[in-house]
Amino acid sequence: MKVLIVKTSSMGDVIHTFPAVEDALRNRPDISFDWCVEEAFAGIVALHPAIKSIHKVAIRRWRRKPFDRSTWREMAGLRHALRTAHYDLVIDAQGLLKSAVVARQAGAPIAGFDRCSAREPSATLFYQRKYAVPRDLHAIERTRRLFGHALDYQPDLSMLDSGIVPSAGGLSGIEGKTAFLLHGTSREDKKWPVEDWIETARQLVAGQFTPVVTWSNQAEKRVAEAIAGAVPRTALIPKSPLSEIAAILGRSTLVIGADTGLTHLASAFGLPTVAIFLATEPGLTGPRGPFSSTLLAPAGGKVTPTEVVEEAERLLALRSEAPA
């Protein structure tokens, strides 16, 4: 059976789908999976060894130039590629109108959430198979249940495995323990103060860790340089392709991150990961992993560097005690 997964974005949403793929592989070894995803996150999907082909969409870019000839050419190319793949089933794991429109291009039956379960009920107009999944569950569990309904098995929710493998590469020239500090995030109210990142880096150095920072825009560059300037043992990684950052991240000893996609990735890799949530609620979309923890700032309060480092030490000890 040949199945196409449609989960185009965001990075965290893509990562939350991997455990459902692992469930399906355990329960339905007759199935092969392809994936349709935003071009920016194709490298993330490629981390899962069971995904055969990756079809890239560029919805964000296409929306900026809806009448451009190249846009129409790329959309036609996607439709042709999906049709000629001859899928037996498409699972729209996103439940949005845009993802449903993409799913329809494959010309195969589409399975998805029902009207009460989908994020955008209008998407269900495109589905031939619709399944009720409670909306008050974590995104990972919702997707696992959807796959189970669509592919006729009962997922074992006591297990959590993403199945992804870090790509080749890593941080060369640095020996010993590394702690990747993911300070960048999309919203100002989700950003931890730079002074707290600096103090965290200092405490990590005292614990014989090498802090690692990087950046993807000028605002993040200023923060990364401030951390590296205040704590000279910090390794400053220049702006790099997502695949290269993922390779370095996947081989880190410890990860401390804001509410951002790379924090979800670290958690999915099974790394000791401390997520710092300041303005968002992690309940239904926060990082999940065997050695992952979320520190949520109390109303009117803050998360301190000492709390973060202590939680990191707890997770590191937990991992060291876990069976190999």
Side-chain angles (χ1 to χ4, degrees), residues 264-282:
H264 290 278
L265 183 59
S267 181
F269 277 139
L271 299 171
T273 305
V274 181
I276 304 166
F277 276 60
L278 303 179
T280 48
E281 179 60 50

Side-chain angles (χ1 to χ4, degrees), residues 1-319:
M1 185 177 185
K2 192 173 183 181
V3 176
L4 174 68
I5 300 168
V6 175
K7 189 82 162 197
T8 60
S9 62
S10 62
M11 190 193 305
D13 289 341
V14 169
I15 293 163
H16 285 161
T17 307
F18 288 135
V21 174
E22 285 297 290
D23 291 338
L25 293 172
R26 282 191 296 269
N27 289 278
R28 293 289 306 271
D30 59 308
I31 293 178
S32 66
F33 286 107
D34 292 354
W35 199 309
C36 195
V37 67
E38 274 283 342
E39 56 188 359
F41 306 126
I44 299 299
V45 172
L47 294 171
H48 199 296
I51 304 303
K52 303 298 184 184
S53 296
I54 300 172
H55 301 281
K56 301 175 186 177
V57 298
I59 297 171
R60 298 173 182 180
R61 180 162 52 80
W62 293 342
R63 281 175 173 169
R64 291 196 297 269
K65 298 181 178 180
F67 303 111
D68 193 274
R69 185 174 298 178
S70 64
T71 296
W72 286 94
R73 185 167 54 248
E74 289 180 22
M75 290 193 297
L78 173 67
R79 179 183 174 87
H80 176 74
L82 295 180
R83 291 285 172 124
T84 56
H86 301 296
Y87 292 106
D88 298 298
L89 180 69
V90 180
I91 299 179
D92 179 3
Q94 199 146 17
L96 300 177
L97 184 58
K98 68 175 183 179
S99 58
V101 170
V102 170
R104 189 173 184 178
Q105 305 312 303
I110 305 171
F113 299 106
D114 72 4
R115 188 171 183 83
C116 294
S117 308
R119 289 164 62 187
E120 292 181 358
S122 58
T124 65
L125 296 173
F126 293 86
Y127 304 159
Q128 287 73 47
R129 306 178 190 178
K130 307 170 189 180
Y131 302 102
V133 178
R135 296 194 61 163
D136 59 350
L137 302 175
H138 191 279
I140 292 175
E141 186 174 342
R142 274 172 47 83
T143 307
R144 295 177 73 180
R145 291 192 180 198
L146 173 63
F147 273 55
H149 287 311
L151 301 174
D152 195 25
Y153 63 83
Q154 182 68 38
D156 182 357
L157 299 176
S158 68
M159 301 173 61
L160 181 61
D161 184 9
S162 295
I164 57 175
V165 180
S167 55
L171 196 58
S172 60
I174 293 184
E175 303 276 336
K177 303 179 295 184
T178 59
F180 211 131
L181 308 184
L182 300 171
H183 58 86
T185 188
S186 57
R187 283 169 34 188
E188 287 298 319
D189 60 352
K190 295 198 294 186
K191 294 180 179 179
W192 209 31
V194 63
E195 309 84 51
D196 290 336
W197 285 112
I198 290 171
E199 176 57 26
T200 299
R202 287 186 176 129
Q203 292 190 31
L204 289 168
V205 167
Q208 305 304 308
F209 279 87
T210 297
V212 179
V213 294
T214 190
W215 52 277
S216 62
N217 56 48
Q218 288 303 307
E220 292 178 11
K221 183 180 181 182
R222 288 192 290 272
V223 173
E225 289 177 341
I227 297 169
V231 186
R233 275 192 56 183
T234 300
L236 176 59
I237 308 300
K239 182 178 179 179
S240 306
L242 181 57
S243 59
E244 294 181 16
I245 297 301
I248 297 170
L249 182 74
R251 287 167 172 75
S252 299
T253 311
L254 167 70
V255 177
I256 297 171
D259 179 9
T260 185
L262 286 172
T263 304
H264 290 278
L265 183 59
S267 181
F269 277 139
L271 299 171
T273 305
V274 181
I276 304 166
F277 276 60
L278 303 179
T280 48
E281 179 60 50
L284 301 184
T285 58
R288 287 278 183 91
F291 307 107
S292 178
S293 178
T294 300
L295 296 181
L296 178 63
K302 61 176 293 185
V303 177
T304 69
T306 297
E307 290 172 332
V308 169
V309 173
E310 287 178 350
E311 183 64 8
E313 291 171 346
R314 185 186 72 82
L315 294 175
L316 287 164
L318 189 65
R319 188 180 190 186

